[in-house]
Every structure is written in structure tokens, then in C-alpha cells.
Amino acid sequence: MNVELFDFELPEHLIAQTPLAERTASRLLALNKQTGEIAHRSFTDLAEYLKAGDVLVLNNTRVIPARLTGMKRDTGAKIELLLLKQLEGDRWEALAKPAKRMKVGAELWFGDNGSGEPLLRAVVEDEGEMGSRTIRFQYEGIFQELLDRLGEMPLPPYIKERLEERERYQTVYAKHEGSAAAPTAGLHFTKEFLQQLVDKGVKLAYVTLHVGLGTFRPMSVDKVEEHEMHSEYYELDEQNAEIINEAKSSGARIVAVGTTSSRTLETVAGRFEGGPIEACSGWTDIFIFPGYTFKLVDALLTNFHLPKSTLVMLVSALAGRDAIMKAYAEAVREEYRFFSFGDAMFIY
């Protein structure tokens, strides 16, 4: 399958640069995956599409301020690290920029303790592909506090505007720190709107998937099947597994909020071969594209994604490529806002 099948024209002015003043103020394109019918609605109209008993599955990962700007100790050259995932202890996988200056053994300094010494030191231990590096940090105190002080939110490269309020790149239910990017479909919810859905009889379940390198790495192959996903850490606890099992056994729908929730659910479903799922954790590199049969996910709330991205392929697997390409063309015509801070799409 050719990657070009998932390309489309996207005017640059449709890439949302800042979040709306109100989280729930976005537009909603609703796509019926059976009929291909498209409706243009407001985000809060999602309540009309959800029924009592439906389970809304949310990714409760929390984004860390993972972008660090510092210098090489020997030359004073400016460098940037984007922390992707914690390997163990103080060792991290990171994207380095400029990567060619970050050879094994290079020492990096971040911040200043007031006496000419850095608040945070890092040593490059290994070189990976496409600018990735294994970094070991050295510091005094608590790493997360230093990161909060020195780091910036790792906004995607297509967002040029500065984010004034950090919490707008977090979901209101973000809990477990460790993500290099937000699960952006969840940014539309407020606690009040979630409560409105609960009052209607919709159930909430939570999974955790820490978004990593796959979000930032473009596809570099011509054939879809040749692409390899980067692995990301996920968790599902017993309580939430039970909520999902009960819904499945009663015939209720599992509604994934975002592609990260979808990938987690389908990873877990595959692990238990379509039977009742159990609490589990691990690493997933699942790649969902047309031809894939969903085992748990019945409906999906998501944002509008990059051309030729693995995320466009995932939604095409759920609704069909032709229906998605048609919906995206209409979204462009109707000037929906795209990507992280953009509008929403509901596939049901």
C-alpha cells in the first residue's frame, strides 16, 4: 500500500497555532463509518452521539516539560534535547539538535546554580537513528523539579506560537507523568463536560500511554507496510479493565478518545486474543492501517492529522480510506482547524 494514498492538500493557515479560549468551543465533524454520512456540529454535540452505557476511554498520561535548551561544556555551542522516554533511573532516550555535535561522551550543561556550575549535567552515552541519543543526567535534588524549572512544553514543530499557559497542553484528567506529547483529542474536554456525560450514563475508563518518538518522526518509506513504529509504554489497571469488559459483554460501545487510547486498547485486546482483558503493562509498537480489524474500539474521537501520517492511516482503518479522504477534503473546504490545538472528529 502506497503512502501517497494518504496524502492531501492542507493550507498552512488551517494549522491551529493556539488553543481556543474555551476547551469545548471546537467544532466537531461527525462521520458515520457505515454510511459515510458527514455532519458538521459543535464539540459539545458529542453528548448527542453518546448513549448511556457507552464507555469513553481516556489516556491519562501527563506531558513533562521535555524540551531542554543548554550548551556543550567544551565549546559553549547551543544544543537542544527533547526527552522522549525514561529508560531507567537517570538514563533517557532523547532527540538531539544539532545531533551531529552530540557524539558519545559529549557533556551538556543546563541552567546555572549561580556560581558558574550547571543545575543539570548530561552525558551522551549512545547514538541512535535520526538524531536520537541515550543521555545520562547528573544533578542534585529532585529531577522533576529541575525539569519543571528548566524545561519547556514540547510543542510539535508545526506550532510556531509560544504557549502562554502550560496546562492548555495537558488534558484536565492528566495524571501519570512521562509523555513527550499530549494526547490531543482529550484537550477538548472540561471536567464539567465529562460530568455531563457521566450524568447521562456514559462511563469513563482510563488507560495510560506515554507518547514518544513516533509522534515526531515522519514516515520515511514509500510502502505503508515497511514502516516501523517506535515503542511506547502503556498501562491498564484492573478497575478500568473491568469497566471495559463489562461494556463489551453487555454490547455497549467502546469509544476511544484519541489514537493513543485506540492503540493501547488494541494492543491489550491482541494480548488477550480477543477475550476478556486483564490489567497489564508493557511496550507497544502496534501500527494500525487499512486492513486491520479492530477488536475493542467501536468509535473514535480524534483530531485532524498530518498528511501521510500513521494517524491518518489509523483512522482510515476504522472508517475506510475513501471515507476519511472525503471527510478531510470537506474539513479543508469548511476550514476546520487542524492538528494539536485544532477541531475534533467523531467516527462512529
Side-chain angles (χ1 to χ4, degrees):
M1 192 182 309
N2 200 307
V3 171
E4 295 296 327
L5 290 170
F6 301 91
D7 196 12
F8 58 91
E9 288 293 324
L10 180 66
E12 193 170 337
H13 74 276
L14 296 184
I15 300 173
Q17 293 296 315
T18 54
L20 297 175
E22 297 292 330
R23 286 181 184 261
T24 57
S26 295
R27 297 162 73 188
L28 179 73
L29 186 150
L31 172 63
N32 185 314
K33 67 181 195 278
Q34 304 299 331
T35 66
E37 180 185 355
I38 293 170
H40 300 290
R41 308 292 295 268
S42 298
F43 179 74
T44 50
D45 294 336
L46 179 66
E48 297 179 25
Y49 288 93
L50 298 178
K51 303 188 289 283
D54 285 347
V55 175
L56 206 59
V57 182
L58 306 141
N59 181 7
N60 62 8
T61 186
R62 185 169 179 82
V63 186
I64 59 174
R67 195 180 299 279
L68 288 165
T69 302
M71 67 176 188
K72 282 190 72 184
R73 180 186 180 185
D74 55 352
T75 65
K78 179 181 175 182
I79 54 91
E80 183 180 283
L81 287 184
L82 176 61
L83 305 185
L84 295 172
K85 66 184 180 188
Q86 188 173 12
L87 300 173
E88 74 273 325
D90 293 320
R91 295 177 73 243
W92 285 74
E93 180 184 8
L95 278 182
K97 184 180 175 182
K100 62 177 184 246
R101 294 185 179 177
M102 279 348 150
K103 303 299 184 185
V104 172
E107 186 173 337
L108 317 172
W109 284 18
F110 303 93
D112 191 318
N113 66 1
S115 59
E117 292 293 311
L119 289 166
L120 188 63
R121 300 172 192 258
V123 176
V124 179
E125 289 194 338
D126 193 19
E127 298 180 31
E129 297 177 353
M130 297 180 70
S132 71
R133 298 289 185 271
T134 300
I135 305 290
R136 183 183 295 277
F137 287 103
Q138 301 164 353
Y139 54 90
E140 292 183 5
I142 299 172
F143 182 74
Q144 193 60 51
E145 290 181 358
L146 290 170
L147 205 56
D148 286 340
R149 181 173 170 182
L150 299 171
E152 293 183 16
M153 276 303 187
L155 295 180
Y158 48 75
I159 293 178
K160 313 298 183 189
E161 298 284 331
R162 182 177 175 81
L163 181 64
E164 297 300 328
E165 187 184 345
R166 274 189 181 186
E167 283 302 305
R168 288 309 304 272
Y169 196 57
Q170 304 279 15
T171 62
V172 296
Y173 46 81
K175 185 177 181 182
H176 300 295
E177 292 188 325
S179 201
T184 53
L187 296 178
H188 302 283
F189 289 98
T190 60
K191 290 180 179 178
E192 292 77 14
F193 185 56
L194 285 170
Q195 186 59 51
Q196 181 184 329
L197 297 177
V198 169
D199 291 344
K200 180 176 178 169
V202 175
K203 296 178 181 177
L204 305 183
Y206 296 92
V207 297
T208 303
L209 182 129
H210 293 321
V211 189
L213 184 60
T215 295
F216 299 93
R217 179 172 281 175
M219 293 188 75
S220 57
V221 296
D222 296 325
K223 298 296 181 184
V224 172
E225 296 84 355
E226 294 172 359
H227 180 70
E228 291 185 12
M229 295 287 283
H230 197 267
S231 63
E232 296 163 314
Y233 181 77
Y234 72 90
E235 285 185 5
L236 172 68
D237 66 24
E238 187 175 346
Q239 179 184 359
N240 287 293
E242 191 55 39
I243 293 170
I244 293 165
N245 284 331
E246 286 177 2
K248 267 305 187 189
S249 62
S250 68
R253 291 185 303 176
I254 305 298
V255 182
V257 175
T259 56
T260 60
S261 295
S262 297
R263 293 178 62 243
T264 306
L265 288 167
E266 294 303 308
T267 295
V268 172
R271 185 166 172 168
F272 295 100
E273 299 180 341
I277 61 174
E278 299 173 15
C280 58
S281 63
W283 296 87
T284 180
D285 59 359
I286 189 172
F287 179 21
I288 296 173
F289 54 88
Y292 178 86
T293 300
F294 283 83
K295 301 172 183 67
L296 271 180
V297 175
D298 299 303
L300 171 65
L301 178 75
T302 185
N303 281 15
F304 293 93
H305 305 294
L306 284 159
K308 298 193 289 188
S309 66
T310 61
L311 306 181
V312 168
M313 294 168 193
L314 186 151
V315 296
S316 295
L318 185 63
R321 177 195 163 274
D322 291 347
I324 289 295
M325 291 296 109
K326 179 184 174 186
Y328 268 55
E330 189 153 332
V332 170
R333 275 197 306 274
E334 296 293 326
E335 300 215 318
Y336 277 70
R337 301 165 74 248
F338 274 65
F339 307 158
S340 298
F341 290 136
D343 293 315
M345 180 179 193
F346 184 54
I347 302 170
Y348 65 100

